[in-house]
Amino acid sequence: MELKALILVGAPVANRVPVEVMAGVPFACVDVLGTTVLERIAQQLKAAGIKRLALIRSADPEARSHTESSIHKAGFDSIAETGENFWQSAEEAFEQFRRSGTDLVLILNVGPYVELDYEEVIQHHINKRCRMTSVVAADGEALGTFVVDASRRGDATTLFRSGLQKVRDDCERFVAKGYVNLLHSASDFRRLAIDGLLERNAVRPIGKEVKPGIWVGHGAQIHRKARILAPAFIGARSKIRAASLITRNSVIEHDAEVDCGTVVENSTILPYTYVGAGLDVMHSVVGFRRISHLVREVDVEIHDEKLVGVSPANTLFRTLGSTAAFFVVLPRRVLRDLWAQVCKVRRVPLPESQAAPAKDLAVPDVNEPASGQEVGEFPANFAVVRRYGEH
Amino acid sequence: MNLKQARNFLKEVEPFLSSDRPQLVFDMSQVRHIDAGGVDVLLQCMREAIKHDGDLKLASVSPQAAVVLELTRTGRLFEIYDNSTQAVKSFSSFLPNALKHYYPHPAHHVTPIINPEAFVGGSDSADVAA
């Protein structure tokens, strides 16, 4: 039996909260503990024996550059980029599968992250001898995963034209018993990372566990004066500068940089993100020049490179940038030190008469009680005068 | 608020800051974006106000601005109120009893909207801030 998978990313699903994106990039294409949800799902499918994978993604120009590397790493056989006619492309891909002699097509809308035994789902579909099987959560919510007989083109068309909302009456249901994260919001995205660090799901950090609960990716640079509290993940080639603190389930993804003295608490720093010096990043997802604050439930665009910036993806550009910054900072620093020294030389010491208190001035003895008055906590001649307003 | 806007703003506010005991409230309801330059100007204003024995308080801070203030660790330096009326009233809260007779104000209780954990005790924030 020939099986193929049709994976949909950034699908415009109707009657739902806005598509799960951050700065136009679907959460499924954003790294979680070293790699994307999309890559992890592709690996799971290949492990289940589904070798042929086709991808349909929405051609959002902003998202395209960020999702390119993860899609290539996942190893899809064909990639179709679509604009408004997303579902039409999906129909065409299904039709191609049918013509090439495929028996079953697994349709996955990669919005939610679902840990499924795909072999079990397919076996369930075969045993029930149904035309279509829909995977649902324990509460009955559809998870956007379907197994369809390739010969049932009409069923697939109904499904695609309704934006994965309508299925024919005789659709079989398979209840997913594993971990489910709908990835609707930045909070869900963050929860996925935390659950991975706490080993509540199968999302394992890509790196070496250098201390209990602390995973460090290949080539990560952690300053010896930086402090990292478990559980935490430091991605490959990321930089943690001096006196910074990474704590409470924080995740620093690959090629990110946390500058000196910054505290990252219960947050995720996305790949290629620069976080400036001396900042407090708390309960947030930071990346793509944005901060999604999870407690305040607000998404803030940051234009100031001193606070949050984006490092170039290319290593050469990054090295050149660092070198240029060094040659800009160095002369400025030297000039500032020279100026400070000049100012120090110019400082004229105060004459002795001004530096020392006047000897002639009679200092009243505040401890001595005024005649005829009792002394309480304060001396009787002690007064506080403070003017308020113009009165 | 970027660096250029912040400098213009500082020029406008300077006469108030250099007065005797300035008591200022910045209504930030219209501020949606603020960068490091904007935060720097707020700190300069605060410094000048304190230098002249006054104070600066913020009111109606948008969630976007609040995130940047928290990010730059400056949220805890300011008293922040839900609206400018509360912020203005709070100035007279700290008058000595003798002067309260001349400056009566209705009893009210203010709660900072930003960084409540910075003020130990939550509802006692006004006392702590005093």
Side-chain angles (χ1 to χ4, degrees), chain A residues 22-24 62 268 270 273 284-293 299-303 308-310:
Chain A
M22 182 163 179
E62 195 181 355
T268 292
L270 296 181
T273 302
S284 307
V285 177
V286 184
F288 310 122
R289 292 195 177 91
R290 277 169 186 274
I291 298 179
S292 279
H293 201 286
D299 202 13
V300 183
E301 203 165 336
I302 305 282
H303 301 287
V308 175
V310 176

Side-chain angles (χ1 to χ4, degrees), chain A residues 261-263 278-282 291 293 296 298-304 306-308 386-389 391, chain B residues 20-21 33-37 53 63-64 66-68 70-73 76 94-96 99 103 113-115:
Chain A
T262 291
V263 176
L279 303 179
D280 266 4
V281 181
M282 292 192 282
I291 298 179
H293 201 286
R296 296 183 194 281
V298 65
D299 202 13
V300 183
E301 203 165 336
I302 305 282
H303 301 287
D304 193 342
K306 282 181 196 168
L307 302 179
V308 175
R386 200 172 183 194
R387 188 161 59 88
Y388 285 90
H391 296 270
Chain B
D20 186 35
R21 293 182 54 75
H33 294 286
I34 185 165
D35 65 1
D53 205 14
Q64 290 86 351
V67 167
V68 176
E70 186 187 285
L71 180 74
T72 52
R73 298 177 182 169
R76 65 192 75 172
F94 309 120
L95 288 176
L99 284 174
Y103 302 97
I113 56 168
I114 280 192
N115 210 359

